[in-house]
Amino acid sequence: MRVYHTETKEAFNALMEELEREDCKWQSGDEPTALKINWFKYCSDTIVRVKNRVIVYNSKSHISDEGLIEKYTKESKTKSKIPVVPQFVADWYEKHKSILEYKIWEYIYDWDDQDCESDFYDFMDDDNLKPIETLIKMRNGYEVEKEQLYYVKLIDQATGYLNVRRDGCKSLNNSVQNDIFKTKFTEAEIKAIDERYWQFAVPVEEVTE
């Protein structure tokens, strides 16, 4: 997931144009540039979130973890030409970059033998993501997409969040993460603890501490 702060209308418009080139859409299905008026709801506090090419927007006050936010300006357009990829794509690239073209060809040639349940298989199978072009462009630099983090809210109250101590001991308390207790988890981390917890996952930016 990517989270952008568009402080000016010009920055918001530039971001919409960039996201349209990436074939992103608003939740409503509209093209990004069709709803440039959205900026006026929150103006300089406008936050744009992009996940799986779906765009949503909100006020900056709704983001509890400011470390997720990247300030977007018109000048950011040059930077945004660098591919932004999930960690699993970056891992595959780093493993095979010394003979990249051959490894891409080999992966496609052995397509029927690949793990069709893997995230990388889905990436390579999605023409809209331009997987081969993206992998080649990564030679000139890339950024790893910030992975979505979640709280696990097991009880609907302020102290109903899953807390996991360093030794693995689990308890319920508030959502504040510190050096002792971990409260923010990736999807994989939650499912590794207990797959049943996934139904209680809440994106961290939707919770105000």
Side-chain angles (χ1 to χ4, degrees):
M1 181 186 68
R2 291 175 279 167
V3 183
Y4 299 108
H5 176 208
T6 52
E7 197 169 17
T8 66
K9 181 67 166 63
E10 291 73 20
F12 185 86
N13 290 350
L15 177 58
M16 292 304 106
E17 292 168 4
E18 189 69 28
L19 294 177
E20 193 156 309
R21 286 192 288 272
E22 294 181 17
D23 199 31
C24 297
K25 297 285 192 300
W26 287 100
Q27 271 188 321
S28 60
D30 290 294
E31 296 289 336
T33 56
L35 296 180
K36 289 182 177 180
I37 194 172
N38 283 349
W39 184 83
F40 290 101
K41 183 171 183 178
Y42 300 112
C43 298
S44 61
D45 282 334
T46 300
I47 289 294
V48 176
R49 288 185 286 155
V50 186
K51 184 179 181 183
N52 297 329
R53 300 200 303 278
V54 176
I55 309 167
V56 297
Y57 75 112
N58 218 317
S59 167
K60 190 177 180 182
S61 63
H62 284 75
I63 306 296
S64 60
D65 186 353
E66 292 201 3
L68 293 171
I69 302 173
E70 175 184 342
K71 186 173 181 179
Y72 191 94
T73 65
K74 290 181 70 174
E75 291 70 31
S76 299
K77 292 175 70 176
T78 301
K79 181 181 178 182
S80 66
K81 292 179 181 177
I82 297 175
V84 179
V85 299
Q87 185 64 56
F88 63 84
V89 174
D91 291 343
W92 191 94
Y93 170 80
E94 290 297 331
K95 183 177 180 180
H96 302 297
K97 63 183 179 182
S98 61
I99 47 173
L100 185 61
E101 288 91 344
Y102 172 76
K103 283 298 182 179
I104 293 173
W105 172 85
E106 182 183 55
Y107 192 93
I108 296 170
Y109 184 80
D110 294 331
W111 185 257
D112 291 340
D113 297 324
Q114 304 299 344
D115 179 6
C116 63
E117 299 295 325
S118 72
D119 291 330
F120 189 76
Y121 181 94
D122 291 339
F123 167 75
M124 292 295 288
D125 195 36
D126 191 339
D127 291 338
N128 291 322
L129 295 177
K130 301 179 180 178
I132 297 175
E133 180 181 337
T134 298
L135 288 167
I136 297 298
K137 282 184 176 180
M138 288 171 70
R139 282 179 160 168
N140 297 318
Y142 66 89
E143 294 180 10
V144 176
E145 191 173 65
K146 293 176 181 176
E147 194 166 1
Q148 174 72 61
L149 295 176
Y150 302 89
Y151 296 117
V152 178
K153 192 173 186 179
L154 296 170
I155 301 175
D156 190 17
Q157 62 185 44
T159 56
Y161 295 89
L162 176 67
N163 282 236
V164 178
R165 207 166 60 188
R166 285 185 177 182
D167 61 4
C169 181
K170 295 184 285 291
S171 61
L172 294 181
N173 207 324
N174 59 39
S175 63
V176 178
Q177 181 162 290
N178 53 44
D179 293 339
I180 301 174
F181 288 101
K182 180 179 176 69
T183 63
K184 300 175 183 179
F185 310 91
T186 65
E187 178 178 347
E189 287 173 335
I190 293 172
K191 291 181 176 178
I193 296 170
D194 190 324
E195 289 204 357
R196 294 172 296 179
Y197 285 173
W198 178 239
Q199 63 185 304
F200 302 104
V202 182
V204 296
E205 63 271 10
E206 294 182 9
V207 177
T208 302
E209 295 180 353

